[in-house]
Amino acid sequence: MKIQNLSFFLLLLLFWGCREPFEPEIEARDLNVLVVEGYLDSEGLSSNLRLSFTSNIQDEFNFNPSALGATVYLESSSGARYSLLERGEGIYEFQHDIPENETYQLRIFLNDGTSYTSSDLKPVITPEIIDVGFEQNEAGVEVFLTTKGNPDADDFLWTYEETWAFRPPIISFDKYDPELKRIIPRPAEERIDLCYRSALNSDLILETSSRFQDQFVFRQSIKQINRGDERLSLRYSILISQKALSKDAVEFWEILKKNTDDLGSIFSPLPSNIRGNIKQDQNPDVPVIGQVSLGKVQQKRLFIDIREVAPWRPEVPEYAGCFLSADTVLVANYDAVFRSEINIPALPIYLENAIEPIGYRYSTPRCVDCTRRGTNIRPDFWEE
């Protein structure tokens, strides 16, 4: 019986090993389709337009290649032109205070000679954010906002950028100087004990204010930070942008949100059946994915300090297994242990009443140097 089972198992392996992988045919027109994504602020706030191309969903790295070297500008009905500056990786920056009583078209000229034009754009004036706040719950901390729509601004899109301060599990204020062959205080610009990280939202938050009484959107959930998240280990900031959408833009963002919910991120591959308000000039039937919106963006920033949510114990997988050495490296052995920078001096060891340490205990850069995961340059907007 065992021999029969073994034979069946081997035949099954042979069957699966001989099967050819299924590779569905993808029409060429679904590849290298221009993707346009952006909400341009009409009152001078820096905003970005992203240009890229769709790629084969079977590509190994699964990303949309950027559209580089394009000429992009916003043209008003009176003929004025407002250029977008290329910032690299398919990002084009718009920073102009434009008249909001005119209509506009976005013009895109790619370096292969093709050009694209948007439908007429009328700036949408976004109402102010009334309030932002946070509340602790069983799962962690929820960040929310309150706003109010009006007949001209009913549908909202919210995006955000997070920044948080953090420390490595093992703190070091010193470094080994191979020329002096001694350990010296680390200069302020080289500090590795305090860093900052930033992240853009990877999901889409949409809401229609007319679903609520008096179009009052109360405590709209923006971000849930779960217990143990490093974001709240020291100090956290979130900059929320509120953008009112025109009626023709709502459908595009709802389809994109469904794609986001299905695939997990706004940076996931886009299906080629998403359309928007951009068309190719040479052939309007050529598919283009994307939606450009124009209007006043409202922003509010919120800070949360560890003292406001304590106790909060961060769990950072990157720091798993970090420890301080049990042995002390004596002065005579500094060069042998610290010159290669495989080990970083962390804790000075003193004899009783001594002024100079007799040696240092140490750890690895992964556990000591926060610049491996962030920057030690404090953001300009940061408040203590």
Side-chain angles (χ1 to χ4, degrees), residues 6-17:
L6 179 60
S7 300
F8 175 77
F9 179 70
L10 291 175
L11 286 172
L12 189 62
L13 286 178
L14 182 62
F15 169 74
W16 283 105

Side-chain angles (χ1 to χ4, degrees), residues 105-126:
Q105 287 184 316
L106 183 73
R107 305 296 309 279
I108 302 170
F109 298 85
L110 301 184
N111 54 20
D112 65 358
T114 56
S115 61
Y116 301 79
T117 302
S118 74
S119 304
D120 287 344
L121 304 173
K122 183 71 175 177
V124 180
I125 308 303
T126 304

Side-chain angles (χ1 to χ4, degrees), residues 191-207:
R191 69 181 302 177
I192 58 175
D193 64 294
L194 176 65
C195 286
Y196 305 86
R197 294 189 73 178
S198 294
L200 297 174
N201 61 295
S202 59
D203 54 354
L204 288 172
I205 308 168
L206 300 168
E207 188 53 273

Side-chain angles (χ1 to χ4, degrees), residues 3 13 23 33 38 60 157 186 197 208 221 240 246 271 279 295 308-309 337 342 381 383:
I3 295 177
L13 286 178
E23 296 182 357
V33 173
E60 179 181 356
L157 165 68
R186 190 178 292 274
R197 294 189 73 178
T208 300
S221 180
I240 304 172
S246 60
K279 289 187 177 180
E308 299 177 271
V309 297
V337 176
I342 294 176
F381 61 80
E383 299 175 3

Side-chain angles (χ1 to χ4, degrees), residues 159-209:
T159 58
Y160 58 85
E161 181 177 7
E162 304 171 280
T163 304
W164 61 96
F166 70 97
R167 294 188 186 277
I170 298 173
I171 303 300
S172 172
F173 298 108
D174 302 316
K175 71 173 186 175
Y176 177 69
D177 188 321
E179 293 184 1
L180 299 176
K181 292 190 175 181
R182 63 187 181 91
I183 292 174
I184 62 174
R186 190 178 292 274
E189 65 274 13
E190 296 181 19
R191 69 181 302 177
I192 58 175
D193 64 294
L194 176 65
C195 286
Y196 305 86
R197 294 189 73 178
S198 294
L200 297 174
N201 61 295
S202 59
D203 54 354
L204 288 172
I205 308 168
L206 300 168
E207 188 53 273
T208 300
S209 64

